[in-house]
Amino acid sequence: MIPVLVATLMWILLACLVIMRRGREERTITYATLTIAISMTLNIDPLYEALDAAFGGWNLVTLLADLALTIGVFFLGRGVMKASDRQPRIVRVALGRTVLAAALVCSIVAFVFIDQGGTTTTFMLDLGDQPAAATYSMIHFAYYAVVLAAMAVLAAQRIRESQGSQRFPPTCLLIGSLLGITLSAVVITMDVVHVVGNLDLMATVSAAYGPLYLGTFAFLCAGFASQPVLRSLETRSRARTTRVLTDELEPIWRRAIGVRPGISQRADAAFQSSEPETVLHREIVEIRDALIDNRVSFELTAGESELIDRAEHHLVGGDVSDATSQPADAQSAGDSRRAAR
């Protein structure tokens, strides 16, 4: 049941990323999600049994699925690293190709030494008492822990640098990474006690496996899926604010070009079809030009000056509500411009 649930989560995440990240050149997270989704799908019992039978019944599908998961986790870590402005050296090493290659090679070697007993859907339960099988499992989960620890560092850094709703994705990634590290510790503990024959302790520790496994993927999926969703919502909100500010400035702009006829670029056909922010910027520029032109008489009220300040603040990426917290400064700026005339 767990592989089915996780595979479903990963395919849903993949669909979200494909839809929400269209046109973006950076596709590392998409590749990671696809690889992990394939890995989880290969672990669904009926499909696993059919494919492994085709491979000769040597549990090679287990190896393929685990290698795919390892590569997918590598891509996840790289995706998070690329989204970060500052990466500590230890993080770059942990998420590097050398560590990945070492994990892949060592796991393949360990798998070769496992005494296979035919196709099994409970690989570690049936074969985990073999040192080679325990080593094989521990290599994979040790690598997951290393990558997830690096992701946790980057997520914590991103939380400190973010504000408001932007903290939600890295917070989910941090929680998912910590759960994944705990899961890795649980699995490694299970591997060790299985080899030494303490099955009672293994059964006790294994109770945490399912919740940790689901929780890890649930929070990681929430973190990666929410990033493009929030970005899309913010883009739409910004576009809506741009349109509102453009409409509010329209009467002021018309007054400005009325006292300075024939010099407006905003009224040209080329600007009629431009990006909304280009139109807003052109309006502000032409209003400002009218204010400093000594040949014409053009003034703004305190409210109009504040509106222009809000629009300028919006264009440089600020929250328009922040600009309203300094009306006295806006009024002073307007008075200074009028005095300069």
Side-chain angles (χ1 to χ4, degrees):
M1 180 59 70
I2 290 179
V4 175
L5 291 175
V6 174
T8 302
L9 278 176
M10 297 309 299
W11 287 115
I12 291 174
L13 173 59
L14 180 62
C16 291
L17 293 177
V18 169
I19 294 171
M20 302 299 297
R21 297 172 70 93
R22 286 177 298 181
R24 293 179 63 86
E25 294 183 1
E26 177 54 50
R27 297 186 176 90
T28 305
I29 298 299
T30 304
Y31 297 150
T33 305
L34 175 61
T35 309
I36 295 175
I38 292 173
S39 171
M40 294 296 105
T41 303
L42 290 176
N43 281 312
I44 297 175
D45 288 352
L47 180 60
Y48 176 87
E49 291 174 335
L51 289 175
D52 199 62
F55 280 101
W58 292 93
N59 294 306
L60 290 178
V61 176
T62 291
L63 177 62
L64 294 176
D66 289 341
L67 293 180
L69 179 58
T70 300
I71 293 172
V73 170
F74 165 77
F75 279 127
L76 280 185
R78 297 286 287 190
V80 174
M81 185 177 71
K82 289 181 179 180
S84 176
D85 295 330
R86 294 179 290 108
Q87 306 98 20
R89 176 175 173 77
I90 189 171
V91 169
R92 295 197 301 271
V93 172
L95 300 178
R97 293 181 177 87
T98 301
V99 177
L100 171 66
L104 294 177
V105 171
C106 290
S107 64
I108 292 172
V109 172
F111 186 86
V112 170
F113 285 95
I114 298 174
D115 184 12
Q116 305 289 338
T119 298
T120 173
T121 58
T122 52
F123 185 81
M124 288 307 297
L125 284 177
D126 294 341
L127 308 176
D129 57 343
Q130 300 180 39
T135 301
Y136 169 80
S137 174
M138 288 189 287
I139 290 170
H140 283 290
F141 279 91
Y143 178 75
Y144 303 155
V146 169
V147 173
L148 291 171
M151 287 174 55
V153 171
L154 295 174
Q157 176 182 299
R158 189 66 178 271
I159 291 172
R160 292 193 298 269
E161 297 171 351
S162 303
Q163 295 181 345
S165 61
Q166 286 297 323
R167 288 182 174 176
F168 180 77
T171 299
C172 289
L173 294 180
L174 176 60
I175 296 173
S177 297
L178 294 177
L179 289 175
I181 294 170
T182 306
L183 172 66
S184 298
V186 166
V187 172
I188 291 174
T189 301
M190 291 169 59
D191 292 333
V192 172
V193 299
H194 196 177
V195 170
V196 301
N198 192 339
L199 299 183
D200 290 336
L201 179 57
M202 186 183 77
T204 301
V205 175
S206 66
Y209 177 85
L212 286 172
Y213 199 92
L214 287 175
T216 297
F217 281 96
F219 277 100
L220 290 179
C221 286
F224 286 116
S226 60
Q227 287 178 332
V229 171
L230 285 175
R231 189 180 299 114
S232 176
L233 292 175
E234 289 180 352
T235 299
R236 294 182 182 183
S237 176
R238 181 172 177 82
R240 184 166 53 251
T241 301
T242 300
R243 290 193 298 270
V244 170
L245 289 171
T246 301
D247 291 342
E248 290 179 348
L249 282 179
E250 183 90 8
I252 306 173
W253 170 75
R254 291 198 175 279
R255 281 172 39 214
I257 65 172
V259 299
R260 305 175 79 232
I263 63 169
S264 173
Q265 295 183 30
R266 158 72 174 85
D268 292 345
F271 276 95
Q272 293 293 338
S273 58
S274 293
E275 291 294 324
E277 293 195 11
T278 303
V279 175
L280 178 60
H281 175 263
R282 201 63 239 170
E283 285 188 353
I284 294 172
V285 168
E286 291 173 4
I287 291 171
R288 293 295 193 198
D289 288 346
L291 279 171
I292 62 175
D293 191 339
N294 293 324
R295 297 170 300 173
V296 301
S297 177
F298 180 73
E299 295 185 0
L300 299 177
T301 66
E304 290 172 339
S305 295
E306 181 182 322
L307 175 60
I308 294 177
D309 289 338
R310 288 170 51 211
E312 289 177 331
H313 195 66
H314 168 72
L315 285 178
V316 297
D319 186 344
V320 294
S321 61
D322 294 340
T324 63
S325 62
Q326 299 176 332
D329 292 343
Q331 177 64 54
S332 297
D335 290 345
S336 297
R337 285 190 294 270
R338 286 192 289 273
R341 293 178 52 227

